Amino acid sequence: MTRTLGTTATGAPRARRLRPSAGRQHHAGPLTYVLLGLAALVSLFPLYWNLVAASHTGERVVKAPAPLLPGPRLFDNLSFAWNQVDMGEALVNTTIVAGLVALSTVLFSTLAGFAFAKLAFRGKGALLAIVVATMTIPPQLSVIPLYQIITDLGWVDQLQSVVLPSLVAAFGVFFMRQYLIEALPVELVEAARMDGAHSLRIIWHVVFPVARPAMAVLGMLVFVQAWNDFFWPFIALTPDGNPTLQVALAGLGAGNHTVDQAVVLTGALISTLPLLLVFAVLGKHIVGGITAGAVKN
């Protein structure tokens, strides 16, 4: 059927022709594919050049013009960077820190986001305003008291000094609240309560399944942020103790008069590969989670 009923100025129904393109699947043209290909090349070029730089000597990397093709020293630089600062231990430490921070942030942010989105309690608006306001405070302001606390506890150069201050984030709470406001109908929560479900059962069987796409996106964002975090781990940890990858990279070339940039870039390449692997495995679910909210009415 190509016509449907509308309303005239007198209130009588009238026929209205649907647009010919309604319901038709649109296909991208050649120009779109060309632009997307160029964007992909521009995005991948820094990673490619990092690989090229890691395969040359330090003198060749800093010499103009910069090399654009791979050289013969990739495995030598990988072996040197891996052994100089114990990159294996740094990889394990970073995986532990980023994994624990991502899991705790997703869990606590989902619980707090559900409370702010669907529960009624006194002072909810003021508490939410305080949570949002904490996002405007620079992390540098809390360094001195935080360092004093971990010194008193004897946690300097211990992984818990990096994990515990990052168990929950204000951004995560606000992100999950905004998602659950639209995605979780309050009638669903009330129906679960009428069936006799207590709060923990509602969270496990109702809130978590509905919030799963946003939890996946938040988990990936927090994991990447914790993986690349340098400022606080560099203060709380040392390259000779329990370093994360970013702290270990800072120790590459330390003690020499000139830093071998090829070795440093090789370390950066090693620290990037696990993130690319995680995104390659979970990329479909992450993109699905991001677009899930975009198609809701």
Side-chain angles (χ1 to χ4, degrees), residues 163-177:
V163 174
L164 290 181
S166 305
L167 288 180
V168 67
F171 167 77
V173 175
F174 185 72
F175 178 82
M176 294 306 302
R177 173 190 177 269

Side-chain angles (χ1 to χ4, degrees), residues 229-259:
D229 192 14
F230 173 74
F231 179 67
W232 174 243
F234 186 69
I235 296 174
L237 306 175
T238 63
D240 298 328
N242 290 306
T244 58
L245 275 172
Q246 307 306 323
V247 179
L249 286 178
L252 279 176
N256 300 327
H257 295 290
T258 58
V259 177

Side-chain angles (χ1 to χ4, degrees), residues 171-193:
F171 167 77
V173 175
F174 185 72
F175 178 82
M176 294 306 302
R177 173 190 177 269
Q178 294 302 107
Y179 181 84
L180 290 174
I181 284 178
E182 298 292 335
L184 180 61
V186 68
E187 292 81 5
L188 197 60
V189 179
E190 293 175 350
R193 291 194 186 281

Side-chain angles (χ1 to χ4, degrees), residues 53-144:
S55 63
H56 287 275
T57 62
E59 293 79 8
R60 178 65 186 93
V61 170
V62 297
K63 185 178 179 181
L68 295 177
L69 295 176
R73 289 186 54 82
L74 176 61
F75 293 103
D76 293 336
N77 289 338
L78 284 174
S79 177
F80 186 78
W82 186 271
N83 295 319
Q84 185 181 10
V85 293
D86 199 353
M87 296 289 286
E89 182 187 13
L91 269 173
V92 173
N93 290 340
T94 307
T95 303
I96 293 173
V97 170
L100 290 177
V101 169
L103 287 175
S104 64
T105 300
V106 169
L107 175 62
F108 292 133
S109 297
T110 304
L111 296 178
F114 167 65
F116 281 121
K118 298 299 175 182
L119 299 184
F121 55 90
R122 181 177 299 177
K124 184 172 72 172
L127 285 176
L128 180 61
I130 293 174
V131 171
V132 174
T134 58
M135 290 191 291
T136 64
I137 301 175
Q140 289 80 3
L141 293 181
S142 61
V143 167
I144 295 178

